[in-house]
Amino acid sequence: MRNRPVLVDTDPGIDDAVALLVLWRHRRIETKGILASYGNVPLSMTAANARRLKKLFGWEIPVWEGASAPIFGKAGKTADYIHGEDGLAGLGKILTPAPDTPIPEGEDGIEAAYRRICELGTVDYISLGPLTNLAMLTRRHPDAWEHIGRVVSMGGGIDIGNVTGNAEFNIHCDAEAAAEVFANAPELWMAPLNITTQVALGIDEIRKLTEGGGELHTVFRRLLETNFKNCTEYGEPGSIMHDSVAVLLYIYPELFETMRCGIAVDCSKERYGKTSVTSVRQNVLLPTKANCRGLLDRIGECL
Ligand code: RIB
Ligand code: CA
């Protein structure tokens, strides 16, 4: 599969941080920018966390600030009970962010991302958080869909949820935005909870993978041990690598069995954020099975 330049939309967040590490380690994937979103924690924190990770990696790419709330209404509850109050297991206090990425007066981060997409001609868009940024970008500039080859989204689940019985966090943040993106994206690869919840790092594996010392291992040991503790307190089998699954679906699709379908997003009060398979469209590639051990090994190689 020929990869296009990539823009990544993210709400770091501990599992986002691991996914960004995986992307950064895969130099053959040309990641050209990060667009931060509200989600796990408020936008001011996710943007600063993205710049902290940029500085930690020494990653020379722009970080733009996207939406601070869903298209309609206010941002709902965060996921700080999983990621820590600052979204990075309290490391915000010691990790210095890279400087802001300057953007022209009167332009916002979403506009800056659109401008970059047009400069690049065509991109793949990896979304690791709510789909508000992409919905807003394509509402403002519908021609953006001509420049987006493939959307990859960690989000949703079939008959499973982690906010309500059938709504996953990223979709539940802004179901209206998700409904628009799932309907309009020419090609969308989805990493659903059904798969991501099977990809969990255990505490022994975390400690083994981060035993090497050095700043990066010290940081990721703290992130992953915190995520392990918080996830297991909520009944998960370990530190769930939700967002890395989306990035690995993009890089190693051969590790997945998939089906083609459409995905409908329910925006009703009763079933807000529920995602279901529909035959109305065939624009979604939905993984039905994954080589979970293989996925964990790919993540381990990046630590
Ligand atoms: O439901 C899991 C998703 O919500 C992940 O993207 C995690 O980072 C949170 O944003
Ligand atoms: Ca995320």
Side-chain angles (χ1 to χ4, degrees), residues 16-239:
D16 299 70
V18 180
L20 292 170
L21 174 72
V22 172
L23 259 183
W24 172 66
R25 286 287 197 207
H26 284 78
R27 300 293 199 283
R28 67 181 169 86
I29 307 290
E30 292 174 84
T31 305
K32 295 292 190 182
I34 292 175
L35 182 57
S37 171
Y38 75 96
N40 284 318
V41 288
L43 173 67
S44 57
M45 294 182 188
T46 61
N49 290 341
R51 288 187 282 111
R52 289 186 174 101
L53 294 163
K54 167 182 173 176
K55 185 169 169 63
L56 176 69
F57 300 160
W59 211 358
E60 283 310 316
I61 58 171
V63 174
W64 304 296
E65 295 196 13
S68 57
I71 290 183
F72 304 106
K74 302 194 305 302
K77 71 182 178 68
T78 67
D80 55 7
Y81 56 94
I82 294 286
H83 302 276
E85 250 180 65
D86 66 356
L88 276 188
L91 286 172
K93 294 191 287 296
I94 52 175
L95 290 177
T96 315
D100 284 4
T101 300
I103 57 176
E105 187 64 29
E107 191 177 86
D108 64 10
I110 291 173
E111 214 53 35
Y114 170 68
R115 181 164 41 80
R116 192 74 182 105
I117 289 171
C118 293
E119 284 165 3
L120 292 165
T122 178
V123 299
D124 287 333
Y125 192 102
I126 299 179
S127 174
L128 307 176
L131 285 160
T132 309
N133 286 334
L134 184 52
M136 286 175 72
L137 189 153
T138 51
R139 276 178 170 221
R140 287 186 200 172
H141 305 285
D143 65 293
W145 284 124
E146 294 155 35
H147 300 280
I148 296 173
R150 175 183 302 120
V151 175
V152 182
S153 167
M154 190 282 134
I158 309 303
D159 301 323
I160 184 175
N162 59 4
V163 176
T164 67
N166 49 34
E168 180 277 326
F169 181 81
N170 288 337
I171 306 299
H172 191 267
C173 279
D174 192 343
E176 288 83 0
E180 282 183 25
V181 170
F182 276 93
N184 299 332
E187 175 78 0
L188 188 148
W189 293 9
M190 178 179 177
L193 277 183
N194 311 73
I195 301 290
T196 64
T197 50
Q198 299 173 44
V199 185
L201 283 171
I203 195 67
D204 294 341
E205 189 166 11
I206 288 168
R207 286 176 181 154
K208 182 153 177 32
L209 290 170
T210 60
E211 66 188 355
E215 189 185 21
L216 197 117
H217 273 178
T218 306
V219 167
F220 275 87
R221 171 170 287 207
R222 165 84 171 267
L223 291 176
L224 289 166
E225 285 183 339
T226 303
N227 194 250
F228 176 86
K229 176 178 170 300
N230 294 343
C231 284
T232 49
E233 275 173 8
Y234 279 85
E236 302 287 3
S239 173

